[in-house]
Structures are given as C-alpha cells and as structure tokens.
Amino acid sequence: MSISVTGVSKYFGKQKALNEVSFEIPEGQIVGFLGPNGAGKSTMMKIITGYLPASEGNVKVANLAVDGNNLKVREKVGYLPEHNPLYQDMYISEYLNFVAEIYHIPRQKERIEEIIDITGLSPERHKKIGALSKGYRQRVGLAQALMPDPEVLILDEPTTGLDPNQIIDVRNLITKLGREKTILLSTHIMQEVQAICERVIIINNGVLVADEAASELEKGFQHNLSRVFVEYDRKIAPEKIIALQGVQNVSPKKNGFLVSVQGDIDIRPSLFQLAVENNLVLLTMTVERESLEDLFHTLTGKAASR
Ligand code: ADP
Ligand code: MG
C-alpha cells in the first residue's frame, strides 16, 4: 500500500477534528479527498505527511510508519500544503535549488531542469516567485513537492483560488503526474473529483462517510433517484404528476416541473401519456442527471444529522 491510515483520530483541545478514520490507497491511484470546509481534510493530510502527530491511530506511507521515521518519509511524500508558502523574493530556479539542497538531490541541475519541464514552468522561469500568477505559483508548489521524486503526492486543494483556465492546466498536470504516482488530493469541489479521480473518499465532521470508485458512487446514486424536467404548453395541476407511479416529488421550475423519481422507473412514457390524455403539447422533457454533487450533499447531510 502507498498510504495506509488506521483508526486515526485527532483532537484539538476538546474538539475532535478526526474521528477514527481508516483507509488504504494502493500504488498508482488518484484519490479525491472530499469534504466541506472544516471537515478535517487538511488535518488528515498534515498527519499523513508527518507535519502533525495523530492523537490516536497509525499512518504508513510507502510502508514506512509516519512517526519516528520522518526523514525517510519526507523523501517518499511530496506535499503541496493548502496555503502554499513560497519565498516571494526568490527566482524560480533559485527556490528549486534551495529545495534540492534540503533533499540532498543528486544531479541537482539535471533534476531541476527535468522538474521545470514537467511542471511547465519554462516560460516563467526567469521571474521571481512574487511576480507569478497564482496558477504558476501552484506549479512551483508542485515542482517543490516533486523534487525528491516521491512515490506519493499529497495535494491540499491544489486548484482553489485559480481561474478556470489555470484550473484546467493544473488538473491536466495532476492527471499526467498520476500516471506514475499515487495521489491524494483534497477538494471541496465535486467536479474536480469527476474530472480527475478514480476513487473518492468523503469526510464530514472528521468522520469518513464514503469511500468508493468515482464511477460506482455516481452509478449507485443514479439508480436510486432520477429527475426529469418536463414542460407542457399549458398549465397542469402538479397533483396529476404526483399521482404517476414512482414519482416522489414534483417542484415547479421555470415554466414546467422538476419530477423526482425513486427507483429504476423511467417516468418519461407516463409524462408523455399524461400530455396525450390532457390534450397538452409536450414542449420539453429532459433527464437531469444526479451528480456526485447531489450525492455529496446527501451523504454529508446524513452524517451531520447522526
Ligand atoms: P478542512 O481542511 O477540511 O477544511 P481542517 O482539517 O482544516 O478542515 O479543520 C478541521 C477542524 O479542525 C476545523 O474545525 C478546524 O477549525 C480545526 N482545526 C484545524 N487545525 C487546528 C489547529 N491547529 N488548532 C485548533 N483547531 C484546528
Ligand atoms: Mg483544508
């Protein structure tokens, strides 16, 4: 296993920021670590990287125990912290030199060139870090994390604060890195997970609420609930739609209704039939796919009310 977290709890005074969290990540997976603000994502990541001790439980990275063994662990784990601290006054290559010194990197010059190339920093390489855009600063953070060629990358909200183009660039870079490394990346954005992760671990209030393949999570949810938007040319009483078999809920939306259906029923033929019976013309009928976003709210809502 690249990462193995067993029964980890973390207290800050009386507050329990993590509550018996366990998961394992095999080599080469890209895993999304998802949860609302304050869920405990950054705390978990600091514990995995050895920057913060757990109150209870064990963490192993690349089969090394994270406490005691810390120096070895640092070579195995690249870490991009949430508030990526960089030396604003240094030039990119100067900073990377500095990082290479810390890690005692062999063939320093070659390695720095390699990393500048991988992270796409070449066009900006002669600038001071303070003069870079947020997107390029994130690349410098990634370059720093990659310097010792670690087996595992821990990226804490790598795209937060970036503009849409920068988000796409950084996501592409992460996907590329994921071909060779195990990556755990935190985010509070569901689409991020859908875009780059094969697996999702969701925490809320320090409790793990889901751990599944991204595709499974989405599939499982779609089977439970689907929604269809329907619009007829004239008004119809929502009671007539509610009366259809399988309909859970009907809510007005724009000039039509959003119809929620439980189970595997395809409601579209009934909605069409309803139009025929009531002499209406069907103007629009679209299936609204449930997204991981909805699932996220369902899961974290459930956990919150436990
Ligand atoms: P996330 O990264 O998911 O937004 P965090 O791990 O930063 O969440 O925080 C989880 C909880 O732990 C929050 O309630 C936060 O206020 C608390 N917390 C985090 N770090 C500290 C700290 N150093 N001292 C006290 N409380 C903290
Ligand atoms: Mg955080």
Side-chain angles (χ1 to χ4, degrees):
M1 286 293 155
S2 274
I3 302 175
S4 143
V5 172
T6 316
V8 166
S9 296
K10 178 70 187 178
Y11 295 89
F12 292 112
K14 278 190 189 147
Q15 190 199 353
K16 203 167 190 179
L18 292 172
N19 192 348
E20 291 174 35
V21 175
S22 300
F23 57 85
E24 293 200 314
I25 302 178
E27 233 166 275
Q29 263 188 358
I30 302 191
V31 179
F33 194 38
L34 197 71
N37 284 326
K41 302 181 297 295
S42 296
T43 303
M44 189 72 245
M45 293 183 136
K46 286 175 197 160
I47 292 172
I48 293 172
T49 49
Y51 284 87
L52 200 65
S55 306
E56 289 155 17
N58 296 298
V59 177
K60 279 185 172 183
V61 173
N63 296 316
L64 299 168
V66 169
D67 46 28
N69 247 325
N70 266 338
L71 277 179
K72 265 194 185 158
V73 168
R74 296 257 160 109
E75 288 170 14
K76 297 284 184 186
V77 196
Y79 176 37
L80 178 67
E82 189 170 24
H83 305 289
N84 176 17
L86 293 170
Y87 297 89
Q88 308 288 329
D89 271 339
M90 280 191 179
Y91 291 96
I92 293 177
S93 48
E94 198 183 351
Y95 174 65
L96 294 179
N97 255 314
F98 167 75
V99 176
E101 289 289 335
I102 295 177
Y103 285 109
H104 306 292
I105 301 292
R107 301 190 305 112
Q108 261 192 38
K109 270 216 169 96
E110 289 93 330
R111 181 66 186 148
I112 289 171
E113 287 309 312
E114 217 169 81
I115 298 252
I116 285 181
D117 187 44
I118 295 169
T119 52
L121 279 168
S122 306
E124 305 284 275
R125 62 179 301 159
H126 298 296
K127 286 192 186 165
K128 280 191 175 177
I129 290 171
L132 297 175
S133 68
K134 181 109 204 309
Y136 271 94
R137 259 179 259 174
Q138 280 303 65
R139 287 169 194 259
V140 175
L142 281 166
Q144 162 274 126
L146 285 168
M147 189 57 79
D149 198 15
E151 176 180 328
V152 177
L153 279 178
I154 306 288
L155 311 177
D156 198 352
E157 309 230 6
T159 61
T160 297
L162 303 186
D163 73 33
N165 286 330
Q166 295 169 337
I167 288 178
I168 292 169
D169 289 346
V170 170
R171 280 184 189 163
N172 286 342
L173 177 55
I174 293 170
T175 308
K176 195 171 87 183
L177 297 173
R179 291 190 204 125
E180 290 177 1
K181 304 196 180 293
T182 306
I183 299 181
L184 180 65
L185 79 102
S186 73
T187 175
H188 56 271
I189 309 161
M190 195 52 99
Q191 290 88 322
E192 189 124 300
V193 167
Q194 286 171 307
I196 48 185
C197 303
E198 52 199 289
R199 175 176 159 200
V200 198
I201 295 175
I202 304 180
I203 61 166
N204 187 50
N205 286 329
V207 179
L208 194 145
V209 291
D211 178 356
E212 303 211 34
S215 55
E216 280 306 306
L217 209 54
E218 206 173 0
K219 208 177 359 172
F221 195 54
Q222 276 163 11
H223 281 169
N224 281 332
L225 193 71
S226 61
R227 284 188 302 199
V228 174
F229 174 72
V230 65
E231 183 186 0
Y232 299 114
D233 67 333
R234 282 178 291 118
K235 285 217 168 74
I236 179 169
E239 289 75 21
K240 290 195 171 166
I241 302 175
I242 292 174
L244 300 174
Q245 203 200 340
V247 172
Q248 282 275 306
N249 188 39
V250 176
S251 51
K253 184 183 168 186
K254 292 180 200 153
N255 295 321
F257 294 102
L258 197 55
V259 183
S260 305
V261 184
Q262 191 72 40
D264 259 340
I265 297 168
D266 185 351
I267 200 69
R268 289 172 299 177
S270 309
L271 289 171
F272 182 74
Q273 193 58 35
L274 198 64
V276 174
E277 284 165 8
N278 291 275
N279 249 328
L280 302 169
V281 176
L282 184 60
L283 297 178
T284 321
M285 186 153 66
T286 48
V287 177
E288 308 223 332
R289 276 163 51 97
E290 289 293 312
S291 64
L292 280 175
E293 194 86 44
D294 299 299
L295 173 65
F296 178 40
H297 287 302
T298 309
L299 285 171
T300 55
K302 246 192 253 158
S305 62
R306 250 184 228 155

